[in-house]
Amino acid sequence: MAQNHFDFIFAGGGLASLMTLQRMVQSGSFTGKSILVIEPDSNKGNDRTWCFWEQGSGEWDGLLKRQWDHALFADAGFSSRMQLEPYRYKMLRSSGFYSSIYKLARQNAGITFTRNTVTAFTDNGSTVTVTTATNTYTCAKFFNSIYNPEAAKKSKYPLLQQHFIGWFVKTDKPVFDSGCVTFMDFSIPQRGNTRFMYVLPLSETEALVEYTLFSKDLLPLAEYEDAIKDYLAERGVSHYTITETERGNIPMTCYPFWEENTKNIVNIGSAGGWTKASTGYTFKNTTKKSRELVSFMQKHDDFRKLGSKNRFWFYDLLLLDVLYKTNEKGSTIFSAMFRKVHPQLIFKFLDEETTFAEELKVIWACPKMPFIKALLRNLF
């Protein structure tokens, strides 16, 4: 008879679940505990490309696909190739990450993976009941990574999507600057939205080229693809092969998902607000949030005590409010920041590691009136 009770159950086997699982194992505080990961997809390969900036070497360097020490920012009238030192912009493909966690899990007899879909879960006070398509389980603590879009949609907080289509292309001649990532290129038509191209060059003839929007609504598939074709054509790239494609839709919201935690149920990943609301970056935030969660579990037993708002949450809220009300201003806002502020300070600000004086330098670089209006809306 299959075991139906576990100490810990994860709903979903994506980035947040697997990184939290890894940190639990590495901490040594959960040795001997039974852990179940319920994941509907058993063939997770390179389904994600994660990027993040970091100073010097880091814990994920052994899994990196590429890293760069220069980045390009551009809009219709401005272009800057920026030196990022002491930061480097790092790229990680998901298959290597998944494999490393699966290897770690195989070395721990208490960890079980099962292919199924969680359909419901209930905190009963002392245990959590977890229902899947074919089984029912119980556990002491439950990690939910299933994002509930309705909660954010029905809240008072602005909700945008970071949505994109990406092509891995291989050209017949050198066309890419292999030492420089194109961070944001707003020189493309904006059409009333915040739209930019994002290019990760793997070599002079290979790159991931993404058409990305921060906006409320998704586009027809052909509109993303046509934009990539036009961008490549305008740069003289006429002969190329598409080797892989990526598609993503990341929620950008300041909704306090942690307020939905119960004593024994914690929301993680996008379901827990782990995505950086103002940028959509997930990997770097997940490294921090997973570490904080495991540290919390070593000291506390009630997930309702986890999570809070801070001044960076409020900064994110103001930016999302501006982009929600006036989505066409995204290019103007980001261009003002990168024209007037060094990228190192922007990275430090987005990592929530700045002093208040440093934050004012970033804030005052932005157009004033849209943010003053957003401030008044949210205060009153």
Side-chain angles (χ1 to χ4, degrees), residues 153-216:
K153 286 180 182 178
K154 294 178 180 178
S155 76
K156 62 182 179 181
Y157 299 102
L159 172 63
L160 296 175
Q161 313 291 331
Q162 181 189 135
H163 47 109
F164 57 87
I165 294 288
W167 287 356
F168 283 88
V169 298
K170 187 169 185 177
T171 64
D172 60 351
K173 61 181 180 180
V175 294
F176 300 111
D177 181 350
S178 60
C180 181
V181 58
T182 299
F183 195 54
M184 285 176 153
D185 186 347
F186 285 103
S187 65
I188 60 175
Q190 295 297 287
R191 298 189 175 95
N193 297 125
T194 298
R195 305 182 181 214
F196 59 92
M197 300 301 300
Y198 176 62
V199 183
L200 301 175
L202 305 178
S203 70
E204 293 182 338
T205 59
E206 298 173 281
L208 170 60
V209 183
E210 283 188 359
Y211 183 57
T212 304
L213 289 84
F214 295 171
S215 66
K216 301 174 189 176

Side-chain angles (χ1 to χ4, degrees), residues 13-34:
L15 174 65
S17 292
L18 295 184
M19 194 177 287
T20 302
L21 175 65
Q22 179 196 46
R23 298 203 188 285
M24 290 174 67
V25 172
Q26 292 175 336
S27 73
S29 298
F30 305 93
T31 303
K33 300 295 185 180
S34 56

